[in-house]
Amino acid sequence: MRSLLTSLVLVILLAAPAAAQVKSPFASGLNFTQADINAILAATKPFFQPDPPEVGIQRSWNNPESGLSGTARYEGENDLNDRPCRQIHHLIRNEKNNRVYEFRIERCQATDGSWQITASAWMAS
């Protein structure tokens, strides 16, 4: 159940309107602004190109305004029902409460070419 809820939060996170803040039900103090979402998407964009980077490559992002920053690490790919999937490991630091949050997501390519979240796991730190 927790994984399903986390997936829903991440789907909302990636589709949030420009003025929205997304709050995770599992991480008190982790509120994403649209600027945070844009930074995460920009950092992970190379992971979803036709030729992904080498496993272990990390990209960083930072938003001094929200106090959030993080790294996204490409962890590899596999297939799910003949669809290519990519796994990403995220570490997010909240400077305001000095906490680090960790989660992994898997996004698989849909027939229209978009990358959809198919699995996620939240790890408490």
Side-chain angles (χ1 to χ4, degrees):
M1 180 70 166
R2 186 172 178 163
S3 181
L4 175 61
L5 289 173
T6 303
S7 294
L8 291 173
V9 168
L10 291 173
V11 167
I12 292 167
L13 170 97
L14 296 176
Q21 278 197 343
V22 179
K23 294 185 179 186
S24 167
F26 312 118
S28 175
L30 187 58
N31 301 321
F32 294 96
T33 66
Q34 186 62 44
D36 297 320
I37 294 165
N38 293 344
I40 293 168
L41 292 174
T44 60
K45 184 176 181 175
F47 302 160
F48 300 100
Q49 298 302 312
D51 293 319
E54 291 183 32
V55 171
I57 294 293
Q58 288 192 144
R59 302 264 324 231
S60 297
W61 61 273
N62 183 28
N63 182 357
E65 192 171 297
S66 69
L68 298 180
S69 62
T71 59
R73 182 177 68 231
Y74 179 68
E75 292 199 327
E77 61 186 324
N78 65 348
D79 288 326
L80 176 66
N81 299 326
D82 295 323
R83 294 170 38 194
C85 301
R86 311 258 168 95
Q87 294 81 36
I88 312 298
H89 176 258
H90 291 271
L91 287 176
I92 299 174
R93 174 176 295 283
N94 184 338
E95 296 297 331
K96 293 178 180 176
N97 66 10
N98 201 31
R99 292 188 63 190
V100 175
Y101 305 90
E102 179 179 10
F103 64 94
R104 286 185 168 85
I105 64 166
E106 178 179 76
R107 293 172 68 184
C108 296
Q109 195 168 34
T111 55
D112 67 2
S114 65
W115 290 88
Q116 301 173 346
I117 295 173
T118 56
S120 62
W122 186 269
M123 284 73 71
S125 1

